Amino acid sequence: MTEQEFDSRLKHLVEQALIEDVGDGDHSSLCCIPETQRGKAVLKIKQDGILAGIKVAQQIFKLVEPEASFNIYKNDGEAMSIGEIAFDVEASTQNILKCERLVLNSIQRMSGIATLTNIYVEKLKGYKTRILDTRKTTPNFRLLEKAAVKIGGAVNHRFGLFDMIMLKDNHIDFCGGIVKAIDKAYDYVQSTKPGLKIEVETRTLEDVRLATATGKVFRIMLDNMSPETISEALKIIDGSAETEASGGINLSNIESYAATGVDFISVGALIHQAKSLDLSLKAIENS
């Protein structure tokens, strides 16, 4: 995804989130804060971790008030410690209050994902294997969750159903077999969307042999296999396709999978098990 595409998607996300939150008006602010009042607030860090979402926060404030002043003191991907200040913003007080919860929800969630992702990434230092995320994301928040994974040091898998063909167990079973599914996918790509990559999920070594023999897939997923079985699968594939281990992999056993030499390990937990970190946006003056 290009920076321009990201910004366009983010603009849409922010607009929809504000509609959801503000509705016909932020009446808590409208009732007691003058429209002309200006204010300043700082983002205070209240928990150690990896910071993520600063650029998103900046874009949120700038979309709501282009003239807002936004000063960054800590960048995305940096380690953060309790008591530090990540940024300050000067803008209409009403706009600061309007953006506050959306900004905090985004940064807290993204920082939690980046922090957990970084723990996984650090586990694999010294191995060639890289960590992938999955589509196990929060509806309508995937853009920022996957951005946080990258900030944490891992790699994004496909963004959605549109940017890669991934033949999973249900596709294979509904289609009538792994070779039939791969052949149909390959023909579809040639006739409908040239260049679209094909990945296939394999559940047994026989699946691996069949998928490899087609020569039509760019990546083979080795699903719910032990490290020993994956080592055997890698011998069959012999570098003819990228490889991905998936299923039942966590912090306690991930190194044994990386030791096989598999190219990627996908971990849905990066996103769906991450806990939001504690941050606050506090007013420091009014003018």
Side-chain angles (χ1 to χ4, degrees):
M1 184 183 302
T2 67
E3 186 174 348
Q4 185 176 16
E5 289 171 333
F6 180 89
D7 289 346
S8 176
R9 287 173 181 262
L10 177 61
K11 182 175 184 291
H12 177 75
L13 185 156
V14 172
E15 289 170 347
Q16 293 303 305
L18 289 172
I19 288 172
E20 175 186 62
D21 200 31
V22 178
D24 68 351
D26 173 13
H27 301 300
S28 302
S29 298
L30 292 172
C31 73
C32 64
I33 304 295
E35 185 178 358
T36 57
Q37 181 174 313
R38 307 290 293 177
K40 184 174 181 179
V42 296
L43 186 78
K44 293 185 176 181
I45 294 166
K46 302 170 71 176
Q47 190 173 353
D48 295 348
I50 302 297
L51 184 61
I54 294 300
K55 289 185 179 179
V56 170
Q58 182 179 35
Q59 287 178 283
I60 291 171
F61 281 114
K62 290 290 189 178
L63 282 170
V64 173
E65 185 176 323
E67 298 79 19
S69 172
F70 193 92
N71 300 301
I72 298 173
Y73 303 113
K74 293 194 71 67
N75 292 302
D76 288 332
E78 290 185 356
M80 60 181 181
S81 301
I82 298 172
E84 292 183 312
I85 300 298
F87 69 76
D88 67 45
V89 59
E90 293 184 65
S92 157
T93 303
Q94 287 189 1
N95 283 338
I96 291 175
L97 293 168
K98 181 190 295 185
C99 295
E100 176 185 7
R101 181 44 52 193
L102 176 56
V103 166
L104 284 175
N105 285 348
S106 299
I107 297 182
Q108 289 175 319
R109 177 75 176 137
M110 290 180 71
S111 295
I113 293 169
T115 299
L116 180 58
T117 299
N118 189 251
I119 293 171
Y120 274 89
V121 169
E122 287 295 312
K123 275 274 191 180
L124 296 194
K125 276 195 169 178
Y127 297 99
K128 77 163 193 173
T129 306
R130 302 187 71 187
I131 301 289
L132 289 172
D133 59 17
T134 72
R135 283 173 52 246
K136 296 176 182 177
T137 56
T138 307
N140 297 322
F141 205 69
R142 180 177 297 174
L143 179 73
L144 301 189
E145 290 174 336
K146 281 185 167 283
V149 166
K150 290 183 70 175
I151 291 170
V155 180
N156 291 152
H157 208 302
R158 59 178 177 162
F159 188 85
L161 296 171
F162 58 89
D163 57 347
M164 181 193 296
I165 288 178
M166 187 168 177
L167 302 172
K168 299 202 69 167
D169 52 356
N170 283 336
H171 298 95
I172 292 165
D173 292 343
F174 277 128
C175 185
I178 191 167
V179 173
K180 187 175 181 181
I182 291 171
D183 286 343
K184 283 182 173 293
Y186 185 82
D187 291 343
Y188 175 88
V189 168
Q190 306 313 306
S191 63
T192 305
K193 198 166 184 181
L196 194 64
K197 292 181 177 179
I198 301 171
E199 178 171 3
V200 64
E201 178 182 301
T202 58
R203 292 168 277 184
T204 66
L205 291 178
E206 180 59 21
D207 282 349
V208 173
R209 291 188 184 93
L210 291 171
T212 302
T214 68
K216 296 177 179 178
V217 299
F218 96 103
R219 185 183 296 163
I220 296 175
M221 176 189 284
L222 309 166
D223 190 50
N224 285 300
M225 296 183 186
S226 67
E228 294 74 22
T229 303
I230 286 178
S231 293
E232 290 301 312
L234 295 180
K235 293 176 184 177
I236 296 168
I237 298 166
D238 193 26
S240 62
E242 290 184 357
T243 54
E244 173 188 340
S246 181
I249 303 173
N250 51 52
L251 286 170
S252 66
N253 64 12
I254 194 167
E255 286 191 76
S256 64
Y257 283 88
T260 66
V262 70
D263 295 316
F264 298 98
I265 295 174
S266 54
V267 182
L270 299 182
I271 293 173
H272 68 69
Q273 290 188 13
K275 295 182 179 179
S276 296
L277 298 192
D278 193 7
L279 307 162
S280 63
L281 189 68
K282 293 298 184 183
I284 61 171
E285 68 178 50
N286 287 321
S287 57

